[in-house]
Coordinates of all heavy atoms in Angstrom, one line a residue:
L817 N -3.1 3.6 -6.2 CA -4.5 3.4 -6.7 C -5.4 3.3 -5.5 O -5.2 2.7 -4.5 CB -4.5 2.1 -7.5 CG -3.5 1.9 -8.6 CD1 -3.7 0.6 -9.3 CD2 -3.7 3.1 -9.6
Q818 N -6.5 4.0 -5.6 CA -7.4 4.2 -4.5 C -8.3 2.9 -4.3 O -8.8 2.7 -3.2 CB -8.3 5.4 -4.6 CG -7.5 6.7 -4.7 CD -6.6 6.9 -3.5 OE1 -6.9 6.6 -2.4 NE2 -5.4 7.4 -3.8
S819 N -8.5 2.1 -5.3 CA -9.6 1.1 -5.3 C -9.1 -0.2 -4.8 O -9.8 -1.2 -4.5 CB -10.2 0.9 -6.6 OG -9.2 0.5 -7.6
V820 N -7.7 -0.4 -4.6 CA -7.2 -1.7 -4.2 C -6.2 -1.5 -3.0 O -5.8 -0.3 -2.7 CB -6.4 -2.4 -5.3 CG1 -7.4 -2.7 -6.5 CG2 -5.2 -1.6 -5.8
S821 N -5.9 -2.6 -2.4 CA -4.9 -2.5 -1.3 C -3.5 -2.7 -1.8 O -3.2 -3.8 -2.4 CB -5.2 -3.6 -0.2 OG -6.5 -3.4 0.3
Q822 N -2.6 -1.8 -1.6 CA -1.2 -1.9 -2.1 C -0.3 -2.0 -0.9 O -0.4 -1.3 0.1 CB -0.8 -0.7 -2.9 CG -1.6 -0.6 -4.2 CD -1.3 0.7 -5.0 OE1 -2.0 1.7 -4.7 NE2 -0.4 0.7 -5.9
I823 N 0.6 -3.0 -0.9 CA 1.5 -3.3 0.2 C 2.9 -3.3 -0.3 O 3.3 -3.9 -1.3 CB 1.2 -4.7 0.8 CG1 -0.3 -4.7 1.3 CG2 2.2 -5.1 1.9 CD1 -0.7 -6.1 1.8
E824 N 3.7 -2.5 0.4 CA 5.2 -2.4 0.0 C 5.9 -3.5 0.8 O 5.8 -3.6 2.0 CB 5.7 -1.0 0.4 CG 5.4 0.0 -0.6 CD 6.2 1.3 -0.4 OE1 6.8 1.5 0.7 OE2 6.3 2.1 -1.3
I825 N 6.6 -4.3 0.1 CA 7.4 -5.4 0.7 C 8.7 -4.8 1.2 O 9.2 -5.3 2.2 CB 7.7 -6.5 -0.3 CG1 6.3 -7.2 -0.8 CG2 8.6 -7.6 0.3 CD1 5.5 -7.7 0.3
G826 N 9.3 -3.8 0.5 CA 10.5 -3.2 1.0 C 11.6 -4.2 1.0 O 11.8 -5.0 0.0
S827 N 12.4 -4.3 2.1 CA 13.6 -5.2 2.1 C 13.3 -6.5 2.8 O 14.2 -7.3 3.1 CB 14.7 -4.5 2.9 OG 14.3 -4.1 4.2
Q828 N 12.0 -6.8 3.1 CA 11.6 -8.1 3.7 C 12.0 -9.3 2.8 O 12.0 -9.1 1.6 CB 10.1 -8.1 4.0 CG 9.6 -7.0 4.9 CD 8.1 -7.2 5.1 OE1 7.6 -8.1 5.6 NE2 7.4 -6.1 4.7
P829 N 12.2 -10.5 3.3 CA 12.3 -11.7 2.5 C 11.1 -11.8 1.6 O 10.0 -11.9 2.2 CB 12.5 -12.8 3.5 CG 13.0 -12.1 4.8 CD 12.4 -10.7 4.8
I830 N 11.3 -11.9 0.3 CA 10.2 -11.8 -0.6 C 9.1 -12.9 -0.5 O 7.9 -12.6 -0.3 CB 10.7 -11.7 -2.0 CG1 11.5 -10.4 -2.2 CG2 9.5 -11.7 -3.0 CD1 12.1 -10.3 -3.6
G831 N 9.6 -14.1 -0.5 CA 8.6 -15.3 -0.5 C 7.7 -15.3 0.7 O 6.5 -15.2 0.5
P832 N 8.2 -15.3 1.9 CA 7.4 -15.3 3.1 C 6.5 -14.1 3.2 O 5.3 -14.2 3.6 CB 8.4 -15.4 4.2 CG 9.6 -16.0 3.6 CD 9.6 -15.5 2.2
A833 N 7.0 -12.9 2.8 CA 6.3 -11.7 2.9 C 5.1 -11.7 2.0 O 4.0 -11.2 2.3 CB 7.2 -10.5 2.7
I834 N 5.3 -12.2 0.8 CA 4.2 -12.3 -0.2 C 3.1 -13.2 0.3 O 1.9 -12.8 0.3 CB 4.7 -12.8 -1.6 CG1 5.6 -11.7 -2.2 CG2 3.6 -13.2 -2.5 CD1 6.2 -12.1 -3.5
L835 N 3.4 -14.4 0.7 CA 2.4 -15.3 1.2 C 1.7 -14.8 2.4 O 0.4 -14.8 2.5 CB 3.1 -16.6 1.6 CG 3.4 -17.6 0.4 CD1 4.2 -18.8 0.9 CD2 2.1 -18.1 -0.3
A836 N 2.4 -14.2 3.4 CA 1.8 -13.7 4.6 C 0.8 -12.5 4.3 O -0.3 -12.5 4.8 CB 2.9 -13.2 5.6
A837 N 1.2 -11.6 3.4 CA 0.4 -10.5 3.0 C -0.9 -10.9 2.3 O -2.0 -10.5 2.7 CB 1.1 -9.5 2.2
A838 N -0.8 -11.9 1.4 CA -1.9 -12.3 0.6 C -2.9 -13.1 1.5 O -4.1 -12.9 1.4 CB -1.5 -13.2 -0.6
V839 N -2.4 -14.0 2.3 CA -3.2 -14.8 3.1 C -3.9 -13.9 4.2 O -5.1 -14.1 4.5 CB -2.4 -16.0 3.8 CG1 -3.3 -16.7 4.8 CG2 -2.0 -16.9 2.7
G840 N -3.1 -13.0 4.8 CA -3.6 -12.2 5.9 C -4.7 -11.3 5.4 O -5.6 -10.9 6.2
Q841 N -4.7 -10.9 4.1 CA -5.7 -10.0 3.6 C -6.9 -10.7 3.0 O -7.7 -10.1 2.3 CB -5.1 -9.0 2.6 CG -4.1 -8.0 3.1 CD -4.8 -7.1 4.1 OE1 -5.9 -6.6 3.9 NE2 -4.1 -6.9 5.3
D842 N -6.9 -12.1 3.1 CA -8.0 -12.9 2.5 C -8.1 -12.5 1.0 O -9.3 -12.3 0.6 CB -9.3 -12.7 3.3 CG -10.3 -13.7 2.9 OD1 -10.0 -14.7 2.4 OD2 -11.5 -13.3 3.0

């Protein structure tokens, strides 16, 4: 989707990766 930021977590540990991505992108 062109209008939003999409981030692939891939094989990263889910919980920490989700929090880091959301907080890092404000």
Side-chain angles (χ1 to χ4, degrees):
L817 305 181
Q818 301 304 321
S819 61
V820 299
S821 299
Q822 292 172 277
I823 299 174
E824 281 191 344
I825 299 300
S827 59
Q828 301 178 61
I830 293 176
I834 288 175
L835 279 173
V839 173
Q841 293 298 316
D842 189 26

